[in-house]
Each structure stands twice: as C-alpha cells, then as structure tokens.
Amino acid sequence: MADPLSQEEFTSSLTRIVSHLQNRHTDLSHLPVLPTSSSISDAISSLPPTLPAQGLGTSETISYLLSSLLPGVLQAQNGPRYFGFVVGGVTPAAQLADILAGSYDENVQVTLSEETISTAVEQRALEMVLDLIDIPRNTFMGRTITTGATGSNILGLACARDYLYAHSPHLPTGYSYAQDGPPSSPTLPSPPIIILSLHPHFSIAKAASLVGLGSSSTIIHQLPAAEDDELAFDLSALEARLKVEKEVGRGVIVVYGAGEVNTGGFGSGLGDVARLSKQYGAWLHVDAAFGGFAGLMPELAPYTKDMDKADSLTLDGHKWLQVPYDCGIFYTRHVSSLTNVFQPPSASAPAYLSAGKPSAGVEANDGATVFPEGTVQAREVTSPLYVGAENSRRFRALPLIASMISLGKEGYRDIIVRNITFARRIATFISQSPYYELLNPTPPSFQVDAVIPSNIVLFRSTSSSPFSPDDPTSSARLVKAINGSRKMYVSGTKWRGVGAVRIAVSNWRTGVEGEGDWEIVKDVLENVGKGEEVKWEG
Ligand SMILES: *Cc1c(COP(=O)(O)O)cnc(C)c1O
C-alpha cells in the first residue's frame, strides 16, 4: 500500500495541482463553460463501482481526479461567461485562502481565545462586510457565517419565531419557543405566525417549513405590489394587513427581498416597510443575498440604504462577494433571539463544549487603535456554537477576509459597477434586437438612463426568431441553444407565468477590458437568435 506520509508523493501531487491551477487561472476565460457529453459519460464510467479493498494512494488518486473526474464537471462555472443563477466567482486571494483553510482543517466550533484567533477573524470579517455596505458595526451584534443565504434565511426565521412568541399578547411575556416548543393557548390565533412577502426566494418556504412555521399559502402570503412598481410593496395594503394581524395578536414576519432573483430589480420603499413593521410589532427579515451589495453602485444605493433597519439580514458570501462555496452571512440586531435559539440551557451543554464563554485572554485591541463602535474584541467573541446551527464547521472566514483585504472597498465597487455595466450592455442589445424582447421591469423611481437597473437581464424570444413565443417550449429550447455553444451559460425561468431566460452577471472577471467577453456574448446571442447553431471551435 502507498505510504500516506510519503513526502515525495505529497510534493509531486501538490506540484501537479499547482500547475493545473496555474493553467486554469490563465485559461479560465477561454475554457468551454460546459463539459462535452462524452467527458461526462467517460467520467461517470471511470468511477470505481465499489470501494476498492486496497487504496490507490495519494499520487494516483490525484492523477485520477485531474485526468478522469474533473473533465466531467462544469469547466468554468467560476469563469466570466457563466451567467446562470447568481454564482459569483472566486477571487485569487479567496481561492488560495480556501486551499489554506482546507489544509489547516481547523474546526471553528468554540471560542478559544488563548488557542486560536479563528473566531476573532470571523468577527472581523463580518464587521468588514458591514463596512463594505456602510452599515454601522453596532447595528447587528448578532452575526455568524452560514452555509449560504438559505442557511441565513433559516436563522432569520428561527429568530423571528423566537421573538414573536416571546412578545405574543396571548402568552406569558418571554415565552421561549426554543425551550418549550409549540404553546397550547386557546386564545392563540391559528396559525400563530404568518409571513408577508412579495416575491420571496424559494428558500424562504424551505426555512419556514424547517423552523416549524409551515410553508403553505395560509402561512406565506403574497402581498399585492404597488400599482406602478411590481417589485415594491403596496404600502397601504401592507399597513392594512399589519393592522388586522395586530388586532388578533398574530405574529407577523415581513420578508423583504432586496434584489429580485429573476430581474435583479429593486422595489422602492424598504424604509417605509421597515417603519410599518416596527410600528405594528412585525419582524422584518431582509433577504439581500446578492442584491445587498448593489448599493456599491452609487445610483442603486437608495434601494439598499435601509437594510440597517432590518431585524435580521441575509447576505451571501459565495455570490457577489466572490468567495468560494460555501459561505453565507447572517446578521440580527436581536442577539438574544439568536442565542435563545442556539444556546441550550447550560445544564444540557456537554462540559467539553463549554469553552465558548468569553474568556480573559488575547486582546485584539493594541490600545492605540480606535475601533468603531460594535467592533468585537477577541476575548468577547460569542462561541459560534451558540449563534448558529452547526457544531462543527470549516474556517469559512479565512477566504472571506482574504478576499475583503485583497480587494478593499474600491476593489469590490469596481466589480459591482463593471458587472452592472456589462449587464446593461447586454440588455440594451437585447432591447434593440429583432429576435428578443427584454422583460425586466424598471422601477419608476429609477432616475438613470439605462434599460435595466442592476445585474440581471431577463428576456425571451420574439416571433422573428425560430423560438416563437407562442410555443411553450421555446424558452427551454433557446436556453439549450445558447448553452450548447459552451461559450456562455444562461438559465431558464418563468416570469409572469411565461418562460423566460436570464443572464446574471456576477463574476469578477466578466467584462474586463480586452478579454473579449462582450464580443462572444453578442455573437452567440445574435446567431442563436436568428436560428444558427453556434459550436465550440477549439
Ligand atoms: C441565491 C439566493 C438565495 C439562496 O441562497 P443560497 O446561498 O443558494 O443558499 C436566497 N435568497 C436570494 C434572494 C438569493 O438570491
């Protein structure tokens, strides 16, 4: 059997990976986005059918991954022309830091301020994300890193549930759902908590189901949109509903999506929604997974500026922040709601996990530096155990902080502005093409001379193309034809009940001058639009 401690084997495998990654770094912009179907079937059939009795050892295993398995995965999901979903990319600093995080393999589990700074790094990374979006650090003292926006939405709804039960007029003040479970009170309305939203992301339904609120249409209600702005709440309808629910003493969670997933668009009125939520005792959860960073583009700042009024806020690290999967970010102003959910009554916490209390020890403050209010010092960090779902997790903060430090605020601003500018260029082209119809709604409050506000282009084909809009399969066929080029990747969706295609621009490389992304995108869209097959040459 191969020697797992062999230095030579490790070094030769590492060298192969280094050179593979070097090539990828240079070639990524010009790799086909998708693998060929034969690469996929070859990779699948190369999989050992059962666990081998004798292992291959490190060197052969790494060769196998590089030569047989990796050709079967997406070749360039983190490349500049993968426009599906909102995937971001990975900055060089984040990519390398992630390799280090895996290599150190530290379990960020409890705070051991005399032994490791990992939780202090996590706090500073979470503070820097607030700095990036101009939210004072002391707004959200409940904070943690999650697996993604879905994980953060679960935390948001769990905190809301805790808070709303504790404040229910039908229950003793401070009722703890986390500890006592569903209450039995004859006066408690059924359902006891509802969600009011506009276009909630699918993950909200998952979160609602997981935290025991339920996810049917009797729990999650779609409110009407403003007459002149389909992405904005109709404020008088919201207020009327909040009033009725307050009268019966039902808990309400208002879920506000900042950045609609099909269009990248923003409604106006987050500040008003926050004011009404507060006035009627509702919990405001803002899901700003990717859209929360759009305000770095100055003209979009009005749509995100009131995120600081949220009771809880979801952001994603692995989308527009360009951090590798998986990394989500969660904030709440109600620290006690978060700890009520995740900190078991002390009696039931096993002794070996009890090192999470703030301990006198390493002080990050050197005495000379003045930190903004809300900065958490190393010795005050709450154990991740008590503010999140996991008991064990990887050091996700390392790639996050590496990316933040390497780019700085202006580096991030450049990416966001470049991505939005690129999306607008595509949208303008689409709006002028005989083969396509642009579907993005633009908020009436949007003062800029651009056909779309943000980074997602939503469109469908017209009857001048071979993908007639009367044919219900046309959008799916159009997506297939575009992706079949392997030069770019888009995803299909439904908008107002009809099939549509979206192009989400969210990668730091996209649109870098001289890289040819625009020419390739235009060429693929033009040729596919007129019915010509675009093939990969090379
Ligand atoms: C992507 C997204 C999610 C889900 O995020 P994951 O990171 O994939 O879990 C939730 N809400 C919004 C608005 C999103 O864009």
Side-chain angles (χ1 to χ4, degrees):
M1 200 191 81
D3 171 11
L5 278 179
S6 156
Q7 185 67 30
E8 195 193 323
E9 215 184 346
F10 184 75
T11 305
S12 71
S13 302
L14 186 62
T15 309
R16 291 199 60 191
I17 288 180
V18 168
S19 102
H20 181 80
L21 295 182
Q22 273 170 343
N23 293 337
R24 229 181 120 67
H25 189 73
T26 322
D27 301 342
L28 189 54
S29 296
H30 306 287
L31 291 178
V33 178
L34 296 177
T36 58
S37 48
S38 64
S39 316
I40 290 179
S41 51
D42 290 351
I44 283 285
S45 47
S46 81
L47 277 172
T50 56
L51 176 69
Q54 303 299 329
L56 295 179
T58 305
S59 186
E60 257 190 74
T61 300
I62 296 304
S63 298
Y64 169 66
L65 299 190
L66 291 176
S67 60
S68 300
L69 283 195
L70 288 176
V73 307
L74 292 173
Q75 297 302 287
Q77 187 171 43
N78 62 339
R81 290 182 312 283
Y82 185 96
F83 302 120
F85 317 102
V86 177
V87 294
V90 48
T91 58
Q95 183 191 349
L96 298 175
D98 199 63
I99 294 173
L100 293 172
S103 305
Y104 278 70
D105 193 29
E106 180 170 333
N107 181 7
V108 180
Q109 175 202 36
V110 293
T111 299
L112 302 165
S113 58
E114 287 97 348
E115 297 178 16
T116 172
I117 61 158
S118 57
T119 53
V121 172
E122 174 164 327
Q123 283 303 313
R124 188 56 49 79
L126 290 167
E127 288 163 357
M128 286 184 182
V129 174
L130 292 174
D131 297 347
L132 180 67
I133 55 178
D134 291 322
I135 294 182
R137 294 177 172 187
N138 61 358
T139 309
F140 295 120
M141 295 304 288
R143 2 163 135 149
T144 193
I145 296 188
T146 65
T147 52
T150 303
S152 296
N153 285 339
I154 291 167
L155 264 51
L157 297 197
C159 288
R161 180 200 65 191
D162 183 85
Y163 178 92
L164 294 170
Y165 274 105
H167 290 81
S168 165
H170 302 284
L171 297 171
T173 312
Y175 182 87
S176 170
Y177 186 99
Q179 285 178 35
D180 299 324
S184 61
S185 159
T187 58
L188 197 67
S190 172
I193 295 177
I194 57 170
I195 294 173
L196 303 180
S197 194
L198 198 51
H199 301 284
H201 187 271
F202 163 66
S203 58
I204 294 294
K206 267 193 188 179
S209 135
L210 186 65
V211 307
L213 299 173
S215 60
S216 76
S217 58
T218 58
I219 315 289
I220 304 182
H221 297 262
Q222 297 275 356
L223 285 190
E227 220 164 85
D228 60 347
D229 184 351
E230 63 188 298
L231 298 180
F233 279 83
D234 174 336
L235 293 172
S236 51
L238 174 66
E239 177 159 20
R241 186 65 189 260
L242 288 170
K243 207 176 215 161
V244 169
E245 301 303 346
K246 188 168 169 79
E247 274 158 21
V248 298
R250 198 189 320 268
V252 174
I253 306 171
V254 176
V255 171
Y256 189 99
E260 194 281 323
V261 289
N262 286 297
T263 61
F266 295 85
S268 51
L270 175 54
D272 291 323
V273 171
R275 179 179 50 77
L276 291 173
S277 301
K278 186 156 188 203
Q279 184 181 340
Y280 291 95
W283 178 284
L284 174 63
H285 176 72
V286 174
D287 178 2
F290 70 93
F293 305 103
L296 283 162
M297 179 95 172
E299 65 213 45
L300 293 176
Y303 297 101
T304 56
K305 77 173 165 57
D306 290 307
M307 291 191 300
D308 64 337
K309 314 249 173 15
D311 292 290
S312 52
L313 173 65
T314 285
L315 296 169
D316 244 326
H318 56 216
K319 290 182 181 169
W320 235 351
L321 279 190
Q322 320 287 328
V323 175
Y325 292 104
D326 47 12
C327 180
I329 295 163
F330 178 73
Y331 295 108
T332 178
R333 59 198 327 119
H334 305 276
V335 181
S336 62
S337 299
L338 190 59
T339 50
N340 285 350
V341 174
F342 293 110
Q343 183 161 9
S346 53
S348 58
Y352 68 90
L353 290 179
S354 64
K357 298 272 172 273
S359 56
V362 192
E363 177 61 77
N365 190 343
D366 63 9
T369 319
V370 179
F371 287 90
E373 241 184 280
T375 301
V376 175
Q377 302 303 336
R379 61 180 179 77
E380 306 162 341
V381 176
T382 310
S383 169
L385 270 187
Y386 299 149
V387 291
E390 298 140 313
N391 277 9
S392 298
R393 59 182 167 86
R394 77 197 307 266
F395 191 5
R396 293 190 192 111
L398 196 66
L400 176 60
I401 205 165
S403 198
M404 310 278 307
I405 294 173
S406 77
L407 286 170
K409 190 167 189 166
E410 292 313 315
Y412 271 110
R413 194 192 306 283
D414 281 352
I415 295 171
I416 303 282
V417 169
R418 182 153 38 78
N419 283 174
I420 292 175
T421 308
F422 195 83
R424 287 178 180 172
R425 195 167 180 189
I426 299 176
T428 304
F429 167 81
I430 292 275
S431 69
Q432 294 164 353
S433 161
Y435 310 118
Y436 300 113
E437 175 192 358
L438 186 70
L439 298 174
N440 295 70
T442 305
S445 56
F446 190 62
Q447 300 294 337
V448 177
D449 192 18
V451 293
I452 60 164
S454 184
N455 65 324
I456 303 181
V457 187
L458 183 73
F459 64 101
R460 63 172 177 166
S461 45
T462 64
S463 44
S464 315
S465 82
F467 309 93
S468 157
D470 311 328
D471 172 357
T473 68
S474 67
S475 283
R477 286 192 293 116
L478 176 59
V479 167
K480 211 168 166 199
I482 294 172
N483 295 349
S485 72
R486 299 165 73 221
K487 296 179 179 185
M488 62 185 275
Y489 186 93
V490 299
S491 37
T493 187
K494 271 213 153 108
W495 182 248
R496 298 181 193 132
V498 298
V501 182
R502 42 192 293 294
I503 292 182
V505 184
S506 62
N507 184 290
W508 65 273
R509 288 178 183 250
T510 310
V512 169
E513 214 44 58
E515 288 294 300
D517 294 324
W518 165 246
E519 290 71 20
I520 294 172
V521 168
K522 184 165 158 277
D523 182 67
V524 171
L525 291 177
E526 211 155 58
N527 285 303
V528 170
K530 62 170 99 125
E532 282 170 20
E533 192 183 356
V534 184
K535 281 210 168 121
W536 180 262
E537 319 93 20

